[in-house]
Amino acid sequence: MMIKQDRFMREAFELAREAVENGDHPFGALLVKDGEVALTAVNTVNTNHDHTRHAELNLVSQAMRQFDADFLADCTLYTSTEPCVMCAGAIYWAGITAVTYGCSAQTLQQIAGDDFVIPCRQVFAQSPRPITVVGPILEAEGAAIHKRFWPAQL
């Protein structure tokens, strides 16, 4: 399980790097069901001129149009960085029951200086249905992507 988990996380990191190549912020996400990638997404806040176009929200929006509730309930959302409050809410409303992330929101805050950080576990703790959270995993790899990106942006 750990090997696949690492593989999926590294794919999320690669999607984050792809987002940067596209001119966006370094975030990537993928939806996995039964050990197979069902869907991927990248951050598009700059290319779409919309600050809500986080990788996780892009993924969840597409997934809800493409898959039914039973399918989504059996999926894990892998994301390069811990979901923000907005994305955690979208994950909840989509009915996705498991999230695995690389870089923690706290580490991102230390790198990028963001000031609105609420851990996703705290958001999901308010959910009437359980949402499993794993992370951070491979955090140093995820943080390295942010360390290369954010100093140039600040």
Side-chain angles (χ1 to χ4, degrees):
M1 175 65 177
M2 188 63 110
I3 292 171
K4 277 196 175 194
Q5 183 175 348
D6 288 358
R7 186 189 95 207
F8 293 136
M9 188 53 55
R10 287 190 172 109
E11 188 169 340
F13 294 154
E14 186 55 39
L15 290 164
R17 285 187 280 274
E18 180 183 316
V20 171
E21 290 172 14
N22 295 338
D24 290 294
H25 298 167
F27 300 93
L30 53 134
L31 194 64
V32 174
K33 183 174 185 330
D34 299 329
E36 298 293 327
V37 176
L39 202 57
T40 65
V42 298
N43 178 290
T44 59
V45 299
N46 291 333
T47 54
N48 283 337
H49 307 288
D50 180 348
H51 290 287
T52 68
R53 299 304 0 164
H54 295 189
E56 301 91 339
L57 190 56
N58 286 337
L59 183 79
V60 167
S61 293
Q62 187 177 349
M64 291 203 61
R65 289 188 302 270
Q66 193 168 334
F67 304 114
D68 65 24
D70 289 336
F71 183 94
L72 293 174
D74 289 334
C75 290
T76 298
L77 189 150
Y78 284 83
T79 181
S80 60
T81 304
E82 183 174 0
C84 72
V85 173
M86 173 184 69
C87 292
I91 291 163
Y92 164 78
W93 286 111
I96 295 168
T97 58
V99 173
T100 300
Y101 66 86
C103 184
S104 71
Q106 182 179 14
T107 296
L108 174 61
Q109 181 182 37
Q110 292 167 354
I111 296 166
D114 197 2
D115 62 353
F116 185 58
V117 175
I118 299 173
C120 71
R121 281 180 176 87
Q122 190 174 337
V123 176
F124 293 141
Q126 304 306 309
S127 168
R129 59 177 187 272
I131 299 173
T132 302
V133 178
V134 175
I137 66 165
L138 304 175
E139 186 168 32
E141 291 180 40
I145 298 165
H146 290 296
K147 286 177 182 175
R148 282 190 299 274
F149 180 81
W150 293 108
Q153 305 300 311
L154 300 176

